[in-house]
Amino acid sequence: MHVLVVHNRYASAQPSGENKVVDQEVELLRAAGHRVEVFERRSDDIAARSLLAKAAVPLLVPWNPAVRTELAARLRTERPDVVHVHNVFPLLSPAVLAACADAGVPAVATLHNYTQICPPGTLQRDGRPCAECVGPPVPLPAVRHGCYRGSRLATVPLAVSMSVNRRRWWTGVERFLCISAAQRDVLVRAGMPAERLAVKHNFVPDPQVRRSGAGEHLLYLGRLAETKGVRLLMAAWDEIAAGGGVGVPLVIAGAGPLEREVTAWAAGRDDVRYAGLYDTARCREAIARSVAVVAPSTWLEAFGLVVVEAMAAGVPAVAAGHGAFVELVEDGVAGLLHRPGEQASLAACLRRVTAEPARNREMGRAARRRYEQDFSPAVGLERLVEEYRTALAGRTESRGTQSMGGSK
């Protein structure tokens, strides 16, 4: 197949699971013999723009006419079978869908979060679940609360885009790929067209390195942000330390808005190590040396890539018992689930996963089996191509119906 991938890359200063997923899918398709090209913008490039150009970026979030023109021209020239849209914020905009319509190329979109129904995409405010903007055509509560980066001004472009482009998204995309059934359920309840929403889990490349012993540390790997449960983890670890510890240190690797707080908290401690931002090779090594990977997110994760990366290495996870984690981690089989947002429950799970080495090894083996069954590259490729073919079939059927209608 001939596929054009559309993606606005997130800033490289912070870890992005979405960037990783896009790169891995492109590599997977090319390795299987498909022709894949990329149409992208990079958020990193904003810093090099003039002050005037930087000031104009929010105005282009709802609609970027230059992108529509450029992409439509490229589609007419290259004629891909399908366009696969990932992130369009802030430099691409939903104008990419108009370009697909202009050129008559079907679009598939992976939904990596909840931006279709919530301007910041988290369904969370002040550390608690929030659905105030789900349903109303104009998400005014998000603006009132400044849900994106704590700023009303920064939230306005997202709210406007969500309002004016809702119909374009919901009618202009042949197939929405939800990355978990939990995410799909939320979106269907919010009114998105159920017949266009399919579940296609992210895959993870086989790391070619697996845990061989009991593990040396507990590992948090990801963005250092409130929604990821970083503060909850620090509080739970302090509770554990006050009770004598669990015999292994906690390693925190990543970057984000809480980096200074994490650095200060870890300073001078023997039971905690803040490791900074790891590259891919070091991530794989750190996971394979873990007793367990910790994913204590307070928001409803749409997937949870680090949990599946742990599974691939034969390492169990301790994760929050909500969102996609519930379908990824069978509690007590391939890992442990703690009560979301509860410090004592997280602490208890961390004690349990380190206190029973034999049980931990058994959970690690179960985690690897689950990876091979549901999240391997072979499975990911099969499901991805299947969705492309479904989108093409849907477009063909739609055109046929329109032609018959026009002939009457």
Side-chain angles (χ1 to χ4, degrees), residues 40-225:
E40 69 177 14
R41 294 290 188 271
R42 295 174 177 267
S43 292
D44 284 342
D45 295 340
I46 296 175
R49 296 189 175 195
S50 67
L51 288 176
L52 184 60
K54 288 178 182 176
V57 168
L59 302 177
L60 299 176
V61 168
W63 196 255
N64 189 328
V67 163
R68 176 181 184 175
T69 301
E70 181 184 348
L71 179 57
R74 183 167 172 181
L75 292 174
R76 291 190 181 102
T77 300
E78 299 179 6
R79 303 305 306 175
D81 297 309
V82 65
V83 170
H84 191 159
V85 180
H86 289 273
N87 177 47
V88 300
F89 173 80
L91 299 175
L92 287 171
S93 86
V96 300
L97 301 179
C100 293
D102 293 342
V105 180
V108 168
T110 294
L111 303 178
H112 295 272
N113 46 43
Y114 297 98
T115 51
Q116 292 289 320
I117 58 174
C118 168
T122 60
L123 289 178
Q124 186 182 64
R125 179 168 59 84
D126 297 333
R128 296 184 296 275
C130 175
E132 285 190 50
C133 293
V134 177
V138 181
L140 290 178
V143 177
R144 185 170 63 250
H145 299 303
C147 290
Y148 180 66
R149 295 186 173 179
S151 167
R152 292 177 179 175
L153 187 61
T155 305
V156 167
L158 286 163
V160 170
S161 182
M162 181 175 150
S163 300
V164 302
N165 290 306
R166 179 174 301 195
R167 179 173 176 79
R168 185 179 299 279
W169 275 110
W170 294 10
T171 61
V173 175
E174 291 290 332
R175 297 288 282 178
F176 287 105
L177 307 184
C178 301
I179 53 180
S180 67
Q183 181 197 32
R184 184 184 186 277
D185 289 345
V186 171
L187 295 173
V188 170
R189 289 197 301 270
M192 287 192 68
E195 69 279 4
R196 294 173 183 255
L197 293 166
V199 176
K200 189 205 74 64
H201 293 129
N202 292 325
F203 80 95
V204 166
D206 194 318
Q208 305 301 323
V209 56
R210 302 184 203 172
R211 189 178 66 179
S212 58
E216 304 170 9
H217 53 239
L218 290 165
L219 176 67
Y220 173 89
L221 181 65
R223 189 164 184 263
L224 305 184

Side-chain angles (χ1 to χ4, degrees), residues 48 211 213 257 274 290 361:
R211 189 178 66 179
Y274 172 55
S290 299
R361 286 192 294 273

Side-chain angles (χ1 to χ4, degrees), residues 255-375:
L258 298 184
E259 185 170 350
R260 286 187 179 182
E261 187 174 332
V262 171
T263 301
W265 175 74
R269 299 181 62 155
D270 295 329
D271 62 334
V272 180
R273 180 165 65 89
Y274 172 55
L277 193 61
Y278 279 165
D279 60 20
T280 299
R282 293 189 71 190
C283 284
R284 289 177 177 174
E285 179 186 359
I287 290 172
R289 293 167 56 192
S290 299
V291 176
V293 165
V294 190
S297 294
T298 57
W299 80 293
L300 297 173
E301 290 276 6
F303 187 64
L305 195 64
V306 70
V307 167
V308 180
E309 290 173 335
M311 288 180 175
V315 173
V318 174
H322 62 174
F325 291 144
V326 176
E327 66 191 82
L328 298 180
V329 180
E330 186 177 355
D331 191 25
V333 177
L336 300 176
L337 297 174
H338 70 87
R339 290 188 294 276
E342 293 193 17
Q343 169 187 325
S345 177
L346 174 56
C349 285
L350 295 176
R351 292 190 189 99
R352 181 181 168 192
V353 82
T354 52
E356 305 172 14
R359 181 67 180 135
N360 184 290
R361 286 192 294 273
E362 186 178 334
M363 287 193 293
R365 289 191 290 268
R368 174 67 191 190
R369 289 193 296 270
R370 176 74 194 282
Y371 161 75
E372 293 172 349
Q373 177 182 334
D374 292 322
F375 308 114

